[in-house]
Amino acid sequence: MDSEQSARRRFLRDGAALAGLAVGGIPSASAQTPTPETPAIPPQDARAYGERSRFETAARRPVGGKWNRLLGRATSLTPLQDLTGIITPAPFHFDTAKGHPPPDIDPREHRLLIHGMVDRPLIFTLEELKRLPSVSRVYFLECASNGAEGRGLETVQLTHGKTSCSEWTGVLLSVLLKEAGLQSRASWIVAEGAEVSRHTRSIPLRKAMEDIIVAYAQNGEAVRPENGYPLRLVIPGWIGNINVKWLRRIKVVDQPHMTMFESTQYVRMKPDGKSRWFLFEQGPKSVITSPSGGQRLPSRGFYELSGLAWSGGGAVRKVEVSTDGGRTWKDAQVQEPVFRFAHTRFRFPWNWNGEEVVLQSRCTDELGQVQPTLAQMSELWGVNLDYWQSDIPMKEASTSPPYAAPTINFNAIQSWKVTREGSVQNALFS
Ligand SMILES: Nc1nc2c(c(=O)[nH]1)N[C@H]1C(S)=C(S)[C@@H](COP(=O)(O)O)O[C@H]1N2
Ligand SMILES: [Mo]
């Protein structure tokens, strides 16, 4: 047992800090919490909260699918082509909200309720959560529909921009659940967000007891409003949709609640017409971000290829790069340290001879899972290659029975073609 663990055990056994929370059903220890001072007027001074150089123009990009248009709010995509290393600065973190602008939550008013099949229902204020043992971990967060905006689109931002990676800080959900006391039939949790539409998802209790974080910080500062301020779930390696933002309630239950997003969306139809539900784990995936679609190589000669790899299976073990359309593969250098369930930066030295070439990357994770080609994915799903090009499945999926969204969990190898003129183009379908 490492010292961190034994300290936590002691903490929980002694229950000193938590004792006040557990008395009398649904207490809140706010009376014992130092009252936060009234926030000062937000500083307008750029030296109080820094701004980037006015010459920097990288930006998130809104996309408006039918779903977003219906609900009146776009998803913003991370400009992967403009980023280096593995951390996504919070202002670039992709951001989805199913229908509403981020709720404007006063952290002093916010509460997290834990109830259901527990011995002691609990309510936590932010201040109380921040007194508990915390962890900081680097994890990617990827929407299950990353790429569904259009796989043949021009830039890596459009094809892959619904993944980001942050250092998240918060309390392990297992700490809170143990404090509440799990009853024997408990096997799922249902997590609920605080926005008007109350985004709600069921999550297996096993994962909750393993590594889910109730996060209040992102890259060292408070979680951004769009990303869940003041509190969100971070669920390593599993689809974005269950990482409930603006978290206000966790109910411990003995079966999933079959909420709208788990019974009509994020469901995969198989060729036999039956659906697979609760596909949580993201597959092994990678993409070259530099050079990538829409960019131009000014001349032949040396370039460092660079990109990102990640997998819901755990750590990225190997990234290979092909500069000849997949005929031969060589190992790329992988940036250390490699974190489990995190973006992993790879780099590959390359000399462009001025000929037309196709650049690809391929991820292998710690489970030995290898990122598939588009042909392999098609075989697995029992569909033709042209299936991936049409946007009909996603559109019809959200508006007509059987409400199945077959365009989720897409992780095929991406191809970028460099033409003789040096322009880089999406070659996934060529
Ligand atoms: N409360 C709430 N949580 C939510 C959502 C939402 O609309 N409301 N969107 C989900 C989806 S679909 C994804 S992909 C992730 C995205 O997290 P981000 O917006 O911080 O990138 O949040 C998930 N959590
Ligand atoms: Mo999503």
Tab-separated table of all heavy atoms in Angstrom, residues 157-203:
chain	number	residue	atom	x	y	z
A	157	GLN	N	-9.202	19.484	-37.549
A	157	GLN	CA	-10.134	20.059	-36.568
A	157	GLN	C	-11.550	19.553	-36.830
A	157	GLN	O	-12.279	19.222	-35.895
A	157	GLN	CB	-10.082	21.587	-36.651
A	157	GLN	CG	-10.948	22.291	-35.614
A	157	GLN	CD	-10.610	23.759	-35.478
A	157	GLN	OE1	-9.957	24.350	-36.351
A	157	GLN	NE2	-11.035	24.365	-34.382
A	158	LEU	N	-11.916	19.473	-38.105
A	158	LEU	CA	-13.262	19.007	-38.447
A	158	LEU	C	-13.393	17.488	-38.330
A	158	LEU	O	-14.443	16.975	-37.947
A	158	LEU	CB	-13.614	19.444	-39.874
A	158	LEU	CG	-13.817	20.952	-40.045
A	158	LEU	CD1	-13.865	21.333	-41.514
A	158	LEU	CD2	-15.085	21.400	-39.328
A	159	THR	N	-12.335	16.762	-38.637
A	159	THR	CA	-12.454	15.295	-38.611
A	159	THR	C	-12.203	14.708	-37.223
A	159	THR	O	-12.709	13.640	-36.902
A	159	THR	CB	-11.459	14.639	-39.592
A	159	THR	OG1	-10.127	15.028	-39.236
A	159	THR	CG2	-11.737	15.055	-41.025
A	160	HIS	N	-11.393	15.384	-36.394
A	160	HIS	CA	-11.007	14.799	-35.100
A	160	HIS	C	-11.130	15.756	-33.910
A	160	HIS	O	-10.691	15.437	-32.813
A	160	HIS	CB	-9.555	14.304	-35.153
A	160	HIS	CG	-9.354	13.096	-36.007
A	160	HIS	ND1	-9.335	13.144	-37.385
A	160	HIS	CD2	-9.156	11.800	-35.686
A	160	HIS	CE1	-9.143	11.930	-37.863
A	160	HIS	NE2	-9.036	11.091	-36.860
A	161	GLY	N	-11.718	16.953	-34.130
A	161	GLY	CA	-11.655	18.000	-33.103
A	161	GLY	C	-12.542	17.820	-31.891
A	161	GLY	O	-12.633	18.720	-31.060
A	162	LYS	N	-13.213	16.660	-31.780
A	162	LYS	CA	-14.008	16.445	-30.562
A	162	LYS	C	-13.263	15.540	-29.589
A	162	LYS	O	-13.825	14.627	-28.974
A	162	LYS	CB	-15.379	15.850	-30.912
A	162	LYS	CG	-16.374	16.937	-31.319
A	162	LYS	CD	-17.812	16.478	-31.251
A	162	LYS	CE	-18.256	15.931	-32.570
A	162	LYS	NZ	-19.698	15.612	-32.586
A	163	THR	N	-11.940	15.782	-29.491
A	163	THR	CA	-11.168	15.176	-28.415
A	163	THR	C	-10.216	16.233	-27.867
A	163	THR	O	-9.707	17.069	-28.612
A	163	THR	CB	-10.398	13.920	-28.870
A	163	THR	OG1	-9.798	13.303	-27.725
A	163	THR	CG2	-9.313	14.231	-29.898
A	164	SER	N	-10.009	16.203	-26.549
A	164	SER	CA	-9.130	17.145	-25.862
A	164	SER	C	-8.520	16.410	-24.680
A	164	SER	O	-8.970	15.324	-24.324
A	164	SER	CB	-9.920	18.366	-25.365
A	164	SER	OG	-10.545	19.038	-26.441
A	165	CYS	N	-7.498	17.017	-24.068
A	165	CYS	CA	-6.814	16.328	-22.968
A	165	CYS	C	-6.396	17.339	-21.916
A	165	CYS	O	-5.791	18.358	-22.246
A	165	CYS	CB	-5.589	15.589	-23.526
A	165	CYS	SG	-4.683	14.625	-22.321
A	166	SER	N	-6.745	17.072	-20.674
A	166	SER	CA	-6.474	18.021	-19.590
A	166	SER	C	-5.945	17.297	-18.371
A	166	SER	O	-6.156	16.100	-18.199
A	166	SER	CB	-7.764	18.743	-19.163
A	166	SER	OG	-8.421	19.320	-20.265
A	167	GLU	N	-5.309	18.077	-17.483
A	167	GLU	CA	-5.046	17.573	-16.145
A	167	GLU	C	-6.257	17.942	-15.302
A	167	GLU	O	-6.558	19.126	-15.108
A	167	GLU	CB	-3.787	18.208	-15.555
A	167	GLU	CG	-3.447	17.616	-14.202
A	167	GLU	CD	-2.565	18.506	-13.357
A	167	GLU	OE1	-3.033	19.602	-12.948
A	167	GLU	OE2	-1.419	18.123	-13.099
A	168	TRP	N	-6.962	16.926	-14.835
A	168	TRP	CA	-8.182	17.144	-14.050
A	168	TRP	C	-7.882	16.935	-12.576
A	168	TRP	O	-7.193	15.979	-12.209
A	168	TRP	CB	-9.270	16.152	-14.476
A	168	TRP	CG	-9.668	16.261	-15.917
A	168	TRP	CD1	-9.267	15.440	-16.943
A	168	TRP	CD2	-10.557	17.230	-16.502
A	168	TRP	NE1	-9.842	15.851	-18.131
A	168	TRP	CE2	-10.641	16.945	-17.885
A	168	TRP	CE3	-11.282	18.306	-15.991
A	168	TRP	CZ2	-11.422	17.704	-18.770
A	168	TRP	CZ3	-12.063	19.055	-16.864
A	168	TRP	CH2	-12.132	18.754	-18.236
A	169	THR	N	-8.397	17.802	-11.732
A	169	THR	CA	-8.220	17.660	-10.287
A	169	THR	C	-9.586	17.581	-9.612
A	169	THR	O	-10.508	18.321	-9.975
A	169	THR	CB	-7.437	18.849	-9.702
A	169	THR	OG1	-6.140	18.872	-10.300
A	169	THR	CG2	-7.290	18.719	-8.186
A	170	GLY	N	-9.695	16.680	-8.664
A	170	GLY	CA	-10.942	16.554	-7.922
A	170	GLY	C	-10.850	15.412	-6.936
A	170	GLY	O	-9.758	14.950	-6.597
A	171	VAL	N	-12.004	14.953	-6.521
A	171	VAL	CA	-12.091	13.869	-5.544
A	171	VAL	C	-12.504	12.599	-6.287
A	171	VAL	O	-13.363	12.653	-7.175
A	171	VAL	CB	-13.154	14.202	-4.478
A	171	VAL	CG1	-13.234	13.103	-3.428
A	171	VAL	CG2	-12.860	15.542	-3.841
A	172	LEU	N	-11.877	11.481	-5.944
A	172	LEU	CA	-12.328	10.231	-6.557
A	172	LEU	C	-13.761	9.961	-6.119
A	172	LEU	O	-14.089	10.067	-4.928
A	172	LEU	CB	-11.420	9.071	-6.135
A	172	LEU	CG	-10.046	9.009	-6.802
A	172	LEU	CD1	-9.205	7.898	-6.184
A	172	LEU	CD2	-10.171	8.820	-8.309
A	173	LEU	N	-14.604	9.599	-7.082
A	173	LEU	CA	-15.999	9.318	-6.749
A	173	LEU	C	-16.093	8.181	-5.735
A	173	LEU	O	-16.994	8.153	-4.896
A	173	LEU	CB	-16.770	8.985	-8.045
A	173	LEU	CG	-18.239	8.651	-7.897
A	173	LEU	CD1	-18.996	9.728	-7.130
A	173	LEU	CD2	-18.870	8.433	-9.276
A	174	SER	N	-15.138	7.242	-5.803
A	174	SER	CA	-15.176	6.109	-4.864
A	174	SER	C	-15.097	6.588	-3.412
A	174	SER	O	-15.719	5.988	-2.523
A	174	SER	CB	-14.030	5.135	-5.168
A	174	SER	OG	-12.788	5.788	-5.038
A	175	VAL	N	-14.363	7.664	-3.167
A	175	VAL	CA	-14.243	8.207	-1.801
A	175	VAL	C	-15.626	8.639	-1.301
A	175	VAL	O	-16.033	8.346	-0.171
A	175	VAL	CB	-13.257	9.402	-1.781
A	175	VAL	CG1	-13.299	10.138	-0.446
A	175	VAL	CG2	-11.843	8.918	-2.077
A	176	LEU	N	-16.368	9.326	-2.178
A	176	LEU	CA	-17.691	9.826	-1.787
A	176	LEU	C	-18.681	8.677	-1.595
A	176	LEU	O	-19.491	8.675	-0.668
A	176	LEU	CB	-18.216	10.806	-2.839
A	176	LEU	CG	-17.290	11.980	-3.183
A	176	LEU	CD1	-17.954	12.893	-4.204
A	176	LEU	CD2	-16.913	12.751	-1.923
A	177	LEU	N	-18.592	7.692	-2.514
A	177	LEU	CA	-19.545	6.576	-2.436
A	177	LEU	C	-19.294	5.721	-1.204
A	177	LEU	O	-20.228	5.256	-0.554
A	177	LEU	CB	-19.459	5.729	-3.714
A	177	LEU	CG	-19.958	6.426	-4.992
A	177	LEU	CD1	-19.722	5.557	-6.217
A	177	LEU	CD2	-21.447	6.788	-4.870
A	178	LYS	N	-18.008	5.537	-0.865
A	178	LYS	CA	-17.704	4.757	0.348
A	178	LYS	C	-18.210	5.488	1.583
A	178	LYS	O	-18.719	4.880	2.516
A	178	LYS	CB	-16.191	4.524	0.464
A	178	LYS	CG	-15.691	3.392	-0.411
A	178	LYS	CD	-14.183	3.244	-0.244
A	178	LYS	CE	-13.563	2.572	-1.456
A	178	LYS	NZ	-12.133	2.916	-1.614
A	179	GLU	N	-18.073	6.796	1.569
A	179	GLU	CA	-18.532	7.576	2.707
A	179	GLU	C	-20.058	7.478	2.852
A	179	GLU	O	-20.596	7.415	3.955
A	179	GLU	CB	-18.075	9.029	2.559
A	179	GLU	CG	-18.427	9.929	3.715
A	179	GLU	CD	-17.903	9.455	5.069
A	179	GLU	OE1	-16.910	8.695	5.094
A	179	GLU	OE2	-18.502	9.826	6.091
A	180	ALA	N	-20.734	7.422	1.690
A	180	ALA	CA	-22.204	7.306	1.731
A	180	ALA	C	-22.607	5.885	2.127
A	180	ALA	O	-23.696	5.680	2.671
A	180	ALA	CB	-22.802	7.677	0.378
A	181	GLY	N	-21.759	4.913	1.865
A	181	GLY	CA	-22.038	3.522	2.243
A	181	GLY	C	-22.913	2.836	1.211
A	181	GLY	O	-24.125	3.049	1.153
A	182	LEU	N	-22.306	1.995	0.368
A	182	LEU	CA	-23.061	1.348	-0.705
A	182	LEU	C	-23.863	0.168	-0.168
A	182	LEU	O	-23.359	-0.624	0.626
A	182	LEU	CB	-22.094	0.854	-1.785
A	182	LEU	CG	-21.395	1.960	-2.580
A	182	LEU	CD1	-20.250	1.382	-3.401
A	182	LEU	CD2	-22.393	2.707	-3.456
A	183	GLN	N	-25.099	0.061	-0.607
A	183	GLN	CA	-25.904	-1.091	-0.217
A	183	GLN	C	-25.626	-2.256	-1.165
A	183	GLN	O	-25.108	-2.057	-2.266
A	183	GLN	CB	-27.380	-0.705	-0.198
A	183	GLN	CG	-27.639	0.338	0.888
A	183	GLN	CD	-29.071	0.810	0.955
A	183	GLN	OE1	-29.885	0.478	0.094
A	183	GLN	NE2	-29.363	1.599	1.978
A	184	SER	N	-26.010	-3.463	-0.755
A	184	SER	CA	-25.506	-4.646	-1.462
A	184	SER	C	-26.014	-4.759	-2.900
A	184	SER	O	-25.308	-5.269	-3.756
A	184	SER	CB	-25.846	-5.909	-0.670
A	184	SER	OG	-27.245	-5.999	-0.522
A	185	ARG	N	-27.223	-4.269	-3.200
A	185	ARG	CA	-27.730	-4.419	-4.566
A	185	ARG	C	-27.241	-3.337	-5.518
A	185	ARG	O	-27.506	-3.371	-6.721
A	185	ARG	CB	-29.265	-4.454	-4.564
A	185	ARG	CG	-29.765	-5.840	-4.205
A	185	ARG	CD	-31.288	-5.995	-4.139
A	185	ARG	NE	-32.070	-5.104	-4.948
A	185	ARG	CZ	-32.879	-4.156	-4.436
A	185	ARG	NH1	-32.946	-3.970	-3.134
A	185	ARG	NH2	-33.611	-3.409	-5.222
A	186	ALA	N	-26.515	-2.378	-4.994
A	186	ALA	CA	-26.046	-1.267	-5.829
A	186	ALA	C	-25.149	-1.773	-6.948
A	186	ALA	O	-24.205	-2.528	-6.703
A	186	ALA	CB	-25.270	-0.278	-4.960
A	187	SER	N	-25.443	-1.389	-8.195
A	187	SER	CA	-24.588	-1.833	-9.294
A	187	SER	C	-24.405	-0.777	-10.394
A	187	SER	O	-23.548	-0.920	-11.258
A	187	SER	CB	-25.142	-3.114	-9.915
A	187	SER	OG	-26.489	-2.940	-10.277
A	188	TRP	N	-25.193	0.280	-10.389
A	188	TRP	CA	-25.041	1.389	-11.336
A	188	TRP	C	-25.171	2.700	-10.579
A	188	TRP	O	-25.719	2.725	-9.461
A	188	TRP	CB	-26.147	1.363	-12.413
A	188	TRP	CG	-26.009	0.256	-13.409
A	188	TRP	CD1	-26.249	-1.071	-13.195
A	188	TRP	CD2	-25.597	0.376	-14.781
A	188	TRP	NE1	-26.008	-1.781	-14.358
A	188	TRP	CE2	-25.611	-0.916	-15.340
A	188	TRP	CE3	-25.223	1.457	-15.591
A	188	TRP	CZ2	-25.256	-1.165	-16.672
A	188	TRP	CZ3	-24.878	1.214	-16.914
A	188	TRP	CH2	-24.889	-0.093	-17.442
A	189	ILE	N	-24.682	3.768	-11.194
A	189	ILE	CA	-25.017	5.103	-10.706
A	189	ILE	C	-25.702	5.852	-11.845
A	189	ILE	O	-25.473	5.547	-13.015
A	189	ILE	CB	-23.780	5.894	-10.223
A	189	ILE	CG1	-22.775	6.085	-11.360
A	189	ILE	CG2	-23.125	5.209	-9.032
A	189	ILE	CD1	-21.719	7.138	-11.081
A	190	VAL	N	-26.543	6.795	-11.488
A	190	VAL	CA	-27.148	7.675	-12.480
A	190	VAL	C	-26.709	9.089	-12.128
A	190	VAL	O	-26.968	9.568	-11.017
A	190	VAL	CB	-28.690	7.562	-12.465
A	190	VAL	CG1	-29.297	8.516	-13.493
A	190	VAL	CG2	-29.115	6.128	-12.763
A	191	ALA	N	-26.013	9.729	-13.071
A	191	ALA	CA	-25.456	11.062	-12.816
A	191	ALA	C	-26.262	12.105	-13.571
A	191	ALA	O	-26.650	11.882	-14.716
A	191	ALA	CB	-23.990	11.113	-13.238
A	192	GLU	N	-26.490	13.248	-12.922
A	192	GLU	CA	-27.363	14.275	-13.497
A	192	GLU	C	-26.685	15.648	-13.480
A	192	GLU	O	-26.081	16.036	-12.490
A	192	GLU	CB	-28.654	14.343	-12.675
A	192	GLU	CG	-29.682	15.334	-13.183
A	192	GLU	CD	-30.846	15.454	-12.198
A	192	GLU	OE1	-30.686	16.156	-11.176
A	192	GLU	OE2	-31.897	14.857	-12.461
A	193	GLY	N	-26.833	16.356	-14.585
A	193	GLY	CA	-26.288	17.709	-14.700
A	193	GLY	C	-27.307	18.754	-14.280
A	193	GLY	O	-28.504	18.487	-14.221
A	194	ALA	N	-26.822	19.981	-14.029
A	194	ALA	CA	-27.680	21.022	-13.453
A	194	ALA	C	-28.317	21.941	-14.486
A	194	ALA	O	-29.025	22.870	-14.124
A	194	ALA	CB	-26.862	21.861	-12.461
A	195	GLU	N	-28.062	21.705	-15.804
A	195	GLU	CA	-28.662	22.620	-16.772
A	195	GLU	C	-30.149	22.310	-16.917
A	195	GLU	O	-30.632	21.283	-16.434
A	195	GLU	CB	-27.934	22.555	-18.120
A	195	GLU	CG	-28.286	21.380	-19.020
A	195	GLU	CD	-27.394	20.166	-18.800
A	195	GLU	OE1	-27.208	19.753	-17.639
A	195	GLU	OE2	-26.923	19.598	-19.812
A	196	VAL	N	-30.867	23.199	-17.618
A	196	VAL	CA	-32.321	23.069	-17.723
A	196	VAL	C	-32.735	21.673	-18.193
A	196	VAL	O	-33.715	21.117	-17.717
A	196	VAL	CB	-32.895	24.087	-18.739
A	196	VAL	CG1	-34.243	24.581	-18.261
A	196	VAL	CG2	-31.936	25.205	-19.015
A	197	SER	N	-31.989	21.107	-19.141
A	197	SER	CA	-32.409	19.823	-19.711
A	197	SER	C	-31.929	18.625	-18.883
A	197	SER	O	-32.250	17.493	-19.203
A	197	SER	CB	-31.905	19.709	-21.150
A	197	SER	OG	-30.501	19.864	-21.179
A	198	ARG	N	-31.147	18.871	-17.830
A	198	ARG	CA	-30.779	17.813	-16.888
A	198	ARG	C	-30.186	16.581	-17.576
A	198	ARG	O	-30.726	15.482	-17.466
A	198	ARG	CB	-32.005	17.362	-16.078
A	198	ARG	CG	-32.631	18.441	-15.231
A	198	ARG	CD	-31.927	18.582	-13.903
A	198	ARG	NE	-32.671	19.412	-12.973
A	198	ARG	CZ	-32.409	20.715	-12.754
A	198	ARG	NH1	-31.441	21.316	-13.401
A	198	ARG	NH2	-33.119	21.386	-11.874
A	199	HIS	N	-29.090	16.808	-18.286
A	199	HIS	CA	-28.383	15.690	-18.936
A	199	HIS	C	-28.164	14.559	-17.916
A	199	HIS	O	-27.616	14.796	-16.836
A	199	HIS	CB	-27.041	16.198	-19.459
A	199	HIS	CG	-26.270	15.194	-20.235
A	199	HIS	ND1	-26.632	14.788	-21.496
A	199	HIS	CD2	-25.145	14.488	-19.941
A	199	HIS	CE1	-25.764	13.894	-21.945
A	199	HIS	NE2	-24.858	13.692	-21.015
A	200	THR	N	-28.592	13.366	-18.249
A	200	THR	CA	-28.571	12.262	-17.282
A	200	THR	C	-28.044	10.987	-17.922
A	200	THR	O	-28.495	10.602	-19.001
A	200	THR	CB	-30.001	12.006	-16.741
A	200	THR	OG1	-30.521	13.227	-16.213
A	200	THR	CG2	-29.991	10.953	-15.655
A	201	ARG	N	-27.075	10.345	-17.265
A	201	ARG	CA	-26.521	9.100	-17.802
A	201	ARG	C	-26.291	8.062	-16.702
A	201	ARG	O	-25.925	8.401	-15.579
A	201	ARG	CB	-25.174	9.361	-18.490
A	201	ARG	CG	-25.254	10.110	-19.810
A	201	ARG	CD	-25.986	9.396	-20.931
A	201	ARG	NE	-25.646	8.020	-21.126
A	201	ARG	CZ	-25.002	7.531	-22.182
A	201	ARG	NH1	-24.589	8.327	-23.135
A	201	ARG	NH2	-24.770	6.229	-22.290
A	202	SER	N	-26.481	6.788	-17.076
A	202	SER	CA	-26.204	5.662	-16.174
A	202	SER	C	-24.781	5.159	-16.420
A	202	SER	O	-24.364	5.054	-17.570
A	202	SER	CB	-27.175	4.509	-16.446
A	202	SER	OG	-28.499	4.980	-16.531
A	203	ILE	N	-24.099	4.865	-15.347
A	203	ILE	CA	-22.696	4.437	-15.436
A	203	ILE	C	-22.509	3.242	-14.491
A	203	ILE	O	-22.996	3.268	-13.356
A	203	ILE	CB	-21.760	5.594	-15.010
A	203	ILE	CG1	-21.979	6.820	-15.921
A	203	ILE	CG2	-20.298	5.160	-15.035
A	203	ILE	CD1	-21.703	8.138	-15.249
